[in-house]
């Protein structure tokens, strides 16, 4: 009735060498064509992390955190690619894509949904809104890089 005392011992962590790159890793060859990319996500960590990875590949990346800011930033930067979350505050990604697709300068812009919404209905809505591709979070970065190439 007076409690217990436990002693835990852990072995010291030994340093390991970095694993060799896997054969066929697509990231080793990039970038072939650096692009201007706008990343739009209301999750700051997600947006910044994705932007940093893309910058490391040589792309010029700008970030917006809501739908209205995304439209303004896209007009300012005239990106080659827009990576657009669907569940955004103020104006959702579907509305952003529809608005941008009405403007001639975005006709050839690649718009990729990067969203937690992955049901068939969500994919149908994204195509109707003007998205070119629909990737579900967590995004396979190699798949994304393939789309950017």
């Amino acid at each position: 009735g007076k409690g217990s005392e436990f002693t835990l011992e852990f072995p010291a962590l030994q340093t390991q060498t970095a694993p060799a790159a896997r054969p066929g890793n697509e990231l080793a060859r990039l970038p072939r064509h650096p692009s201007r990319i706008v990343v739009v996500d209301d999750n700051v960590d997600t947006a910044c992390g994705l932007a940093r990875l893309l910058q490391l590949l040589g792309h010029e990346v700008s970030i917006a955190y809501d739908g209205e800011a995304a439209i303004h930033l896209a007009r300012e930067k005239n990106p080659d690619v827009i990576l657009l979350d669907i569940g955004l505050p103020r104006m959702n990604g579907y509305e952003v894509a529809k608005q941008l697709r009405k403007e001639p300068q975005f006709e050839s812009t690649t718009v990729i949904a990067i969203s937690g919404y992955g049901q068939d209905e969500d994919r149908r809505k994204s195509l109707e809104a003007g998205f070119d591709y629909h990737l579900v979070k967590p995004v396979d970065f190699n798949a994304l890089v393939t789309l950017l190439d």
Side-chain angles (χ1 to χ4, degrees):
K2 302 215 178 195
S4 302
E5 181 178 316
F6 298 92
T7 302
L8 301 174
E9 293 183 27
F10 296 96
L13 179 65
Q14 297 179 4
T15 18
Q16 298 178 351
T17 57
R22 293 181 295 173
N25 186 343
E26 298 299 317
L27 296 179
R29 300 183 310 205
L30 295 172
R32 289 186 196 165
H33 304 100
S35 300
R36 286 182 317 278
I37 300 173
V38 169
V39 173
V40 185
D41 199 310
D42 59 327
N43 182 309
V44 174
D45 291 335
T46 299
C48 290
L50 181 56
R52 184 67 186 130
L53 287 170
L54 294 167
Q55 288 168 338
L56 289 171
L57 294 174
H59 299 289
E60 178 187 321
V61 184
S62 303
I63 303 171
Y65 302 107
D66 66 60
E68 290 177 4
I71 291 173
H72 293 295
L73 187 61
R75 288 175 180 155
E76 176 188 331
K77 298 294 184 178
N78 195 27
D80 304 303
V81 178
I82 301 173
L83 304 177
L84 180 57
D85 186 20
I86 293 173
L88 295 170
R90 295 203 238 180
M91 177 184 284
N92 70 39
Y94 299 129
E95 295 167 330
V96 172
K98 285 178 188 175
Q99 179 66 38
L100 292 175
R101 288 300 191 202
K102 291 178 185 176
E103 301 180 28
Q105 77 240 35
F106 301 112
E107 286 177 3
S108 63
T109 302
T110 301
V111 182
I112 303 172
I114 295 186
S115 178
Y117 304 152
Q119 301 297 318
D120 290 339
E121 177 71 9
D122 303 318
R123 292 174 186 277
R124 183 190 60 75
K125 284 181 181 178
S126 68
L127 287 174
E128 288 175 358
F131 286 91
D132 296 294
Y133 303 99
H134 188 116
L135 300 177
V136 178
K137 293 178 183 178
V139 172
D140 176 344
F141 195 67
N142 285 322
L144 175 60
V145 167
T146 300
L147 293 177
L148 297 176
D149 193 21

